[in-house]
Amino acid sequence: MKLLLVDDHRIVREGLKMILDSSPRYTVIDEASDGDELVTKALALKPDLIVSDLKMPGASVIDSCKMLKEQLPDIKLLILTAYDESEDVFRALESNIDGYIMKDTVPEQILHTMDMVMMGYSCFQSKLQRKKKDENDIAFTEREQEIFQLIVENLSNQEIAGQLYISEATVKTHVSSILRKTGQPNRSQAVLYALKKGFVKVPR
């Protein structure tokens, strides 16, 4: 799989290439050192996966990634950063970025996350502090909470039914209830809402 590495620190890029040397699945086809190069090289080279720092000189990485997703829908985007601020994580979610992990992650976990992203999973690692619920928070049943967490983990209704040993129709009923309680039009918006409110855990 063709990989574009993006970081404004050369030593970080060199470190990532050393990690990638242990995996025959990825070939680094080029590197970029700022947000502008990220866009230019991604559009020209059309890599399978971009692993990018978050805050660099040039164009906004999150805004650029959102644009790239629109123009290259098959591309996968993984943010590797030292920043674990909730607003950055939520903006990444809203921009359809596929993964968000920290630079202090062990090499094996970085490779595992890359593999999961390439298989179509959303992988967000975060130490976000969750706010305590107050009296006005939405109340989910235990089953709804269980199903909601599986939705966040990218399971389909059929997969949820199989895992919980219930019918797909029952899952759909609970999903409809979740959408109604959150006031969201679809699963994706409900997930964003729930992550912001701390109703569910960010997948590791």
Side-chain angles (χ1 to χ4, degrees):
M1 288 173 277
K2 298 182 296 182
L3 179 66
L4 175 63
L5 288 181
V6 188
D7 198 289
D8 55 338
H9 295 99
R10 181 177 178 180
I11 190 171
V12 174
R13 300 198 305 271
E14 294 299 323
L16 284 170
K17 286 193 289 185
M18 290 178 64
I19 292 172
L20 292 165
D21 283 343
S22 65
S23 173
R25 297 184 295 279
Y26 300 97
T27 300
V28 178
I29 56 173
D30 208 342
E31 302 173 33
S33 59
D34 60 45
D36 297 323
E37 279 191 342
L38 162 63
V39 173
T40 301
K41 293 188 175 183
L43 290 174
L45 299 172
K46 297 179 175 61
D48 300 302
L49 172 65
I50 296 174
V51 177
S52 176
D53 192 7
L54 179 64
K55 297 184 179 181
M56 300 182 295
S60 161
V61 171
I62 289 182
D63 291 343
S64 296
C65 286
K66 184 176 182 179
M67 180 273 291
L68 288 172
K69 274 288 192 179
E70 293 171 352
Q71 297 199 27
L72 303 171
D74 293 331
I75 202 170
K76 300 295 184 183
L77 299 160
L78 175 63
I79 297 294
L80 181 63
T81 180
Y83 296 94
D84 193 32
E85 299 167 9
S86 58
E87 185 60 30
D88 292 328
V89 177
F90 296 141
R91 287 189 62 215
L93 278 165
E94 291 168 346
S95 298
N96 292 323
I97 288 172
D98 301 283
Y100 190 110
I101 59 175
M102 307 305 295
K103 284 184 175 178
D104 59 1
T105 304
V106 297
E108 295 80 8
Q109 185 62 36
I110 292 176
L111 286 172
H112 176 69
T113 302
M114 290 168 58
D115 292 341
M116 294 296 288
V117 163
M118 291 308 302
M119 287 189 288
Y121 292 94
S122 296
C123 299
F124 281 72
Q125 175 199 74
S126 177
K127 302 168 186 173
L128 297 178
Q129 296 298 317
R130 298 303 177 188
K131 295 180 179 179
K132 293 182 178 180
K133 297 179 182 179
D134 58 32
E135 294 180 350
N136 295 322
D137 281 329
I138 299 169
F140 296 105
T141 66
E142 184 176 346
R143 179 63 86 185
E144 287 172 348
Q145 187 73 35
E146 194 174 18
I147 289 174
F148 211 164
Q149 185 62 48
L150 294 176
I151 291 173
V152 174
E153 293 171 13
N154 209 32
L155 272 68
S156 66
N157 286 350
Q158 184 177 11
E159 290 169 330
I160 293 172
Q163 184 160 324
L164 299 180
Y165 301 102
I166 57 178
S167 71
E168 190 172 349
T170 299
V171 174
K172 289 180 179 178
T173 298
H174 285 301
V175 171
S176 295
S177 177
I178 289 168
L179 295 180
R180 184 179 68 256
K181 287 182 177 181
T182 59
Q184 303 302 310
N186 54 52
R187 288 164 58 118
S188 297
Q189 292 299 316
V191 166
L192 287 173
Y193 179 86
L195 288 171
K196 289 179 179 179
K197 292 291 186 180
F199 292 152
V200 290
K201 298 177 181 178
V202 178
R204 294 279 178 176

